[in-house]
Amino acid sequence: MPAPRLFVFGLGFTARVFAEALKAEGWRVAATCRSEDKRAALEAEGFDAFLFDRGRPLADARAALDGTTHLLVSVPPDEKGDPVLDQHAMDLADLRTLDWAGYLSTTGVYGDTRGEWVGEAAWLRPTGDRQKRRVEAERGWLNLYRQYGVPLHVFRLAGIYGPGRSALDNVRDGTAKRVDKPGQVFSRIHVEDIAGTLRASMAQPTLGAVYNVADDLPSPSHEVVAYACDLLKVEPPPLVPFEKADLSPMAASFYADCRRVKNDRIKRQLGVELKYPDYRAGLDAQFAAEQGH
């Protein structure tokens, strides 16, 4: 019996961690990328790689998707919509070997709850254009399940961090800021816990399910930076009021919403036990690994 095959649309930070873990277990893994150089590099690493982008659908979708048992979509929607849905919805609807599909969304679809806890059944009130596009993309993917039976699951991810993309890395490269906006908290999730949640869902699929993926401790970002500085034994950057922080429009947009994300569904329905239940556990583990402990 052939090994299961994962096909990933968009092999970004999160999807790569997940895909590499499965590949190490003997899975066949295929992924899309946007340049010929990247395609060649992925092929050299043992992935089946295919070019894909808005305006450049898979050259032979039937052949590329052949034998796919599991699908992960991490390509974000653009101004025109979801590029995967727009170009390959029917190819996926016709994929009879598919046992599980996951769409990586964001907790940004909830908008601003003024710090209140929010669960999967809450109304979606996105505040920005990027978040509004996510809501539409979620609807499109869930419609693919409702109309054609594609075995879809939606994962709403909190702020993602992990080795190479953490407060420790930001402190080291000089980009860390300590911004003070009283009452502001962010929910986070370690990339390995995202991978663990996806695996748990694959083990017990619930078609059409939506899951928040967040840790147990929503926290102000300046506390996380201070903790990273303490680990690195460096002086933390000064605490700057939000109004004077000189943030980029993208960075400032994250402060428009304040919410605490409930994660009880992944624990109750999927049996997930978070490896890193808060940012301290995640940063401690990264720091220890970097020190060779």
Side-chain angles (χ1 to χ4, degrees), residues 52-150:
F52 172 83
D53 203 354
R54 166 72 68 185
R56 182 167 58 185
L58 295 172
D60 186 345
R62 186 181 296 273
L65 295 168
D66 184 50
T68 295
T69 57
H70 296 73
L71 174 77
L72 185 67
V73 180
S74 69
V75 175
D78 56 26
E79 295 83 354
K80 296 180 180 179
D82 187 294
V84 181
L85 278 177
D86 290 348
Q87 297 172 111
H88 293 298
M90 290 302 96
D91 296 314
L92 297 173
D94 289 339
L95 195 55
R96 299 304 172 202
T97 56
L98 198 60
D99 295 325
W100 179 93
Y103 176 70
L104 301 186
S105 185
T106 169
T107 57
V109 296
Y110 296 117
D112 184 19
T113 69
R114 299 182 180 180
E116 294 299 315
W117 289 94
V118 61
E120 291 88 347
W123 290 103
L124 304 185
R125 296 188 173 95
T127 54
D129 289 339
R130 287 181 298 109
Q131 293 88 348
K132 290 174 183 176
R133 291 196 289 266
R134 281 290 190 184
V135 171
E136 290 304 312
E138 280 192 13
R139 287 174 179 157
W141 283 102
L142 288 169
N143 281 339
L144 203 62
Y145 154 65
R146 295 184 185 108
Q147 294 181 17
Y148 300 101
V150 173

Side-chain angles (χ1 to χ4, degrees), residues 202-216:
M202 286 162 50
Q204 39 188 332
T206 302
L207 309 192
V210 177
Y211 298 106
N212 288 339
V213 190
D215 71 16
D216 297 338

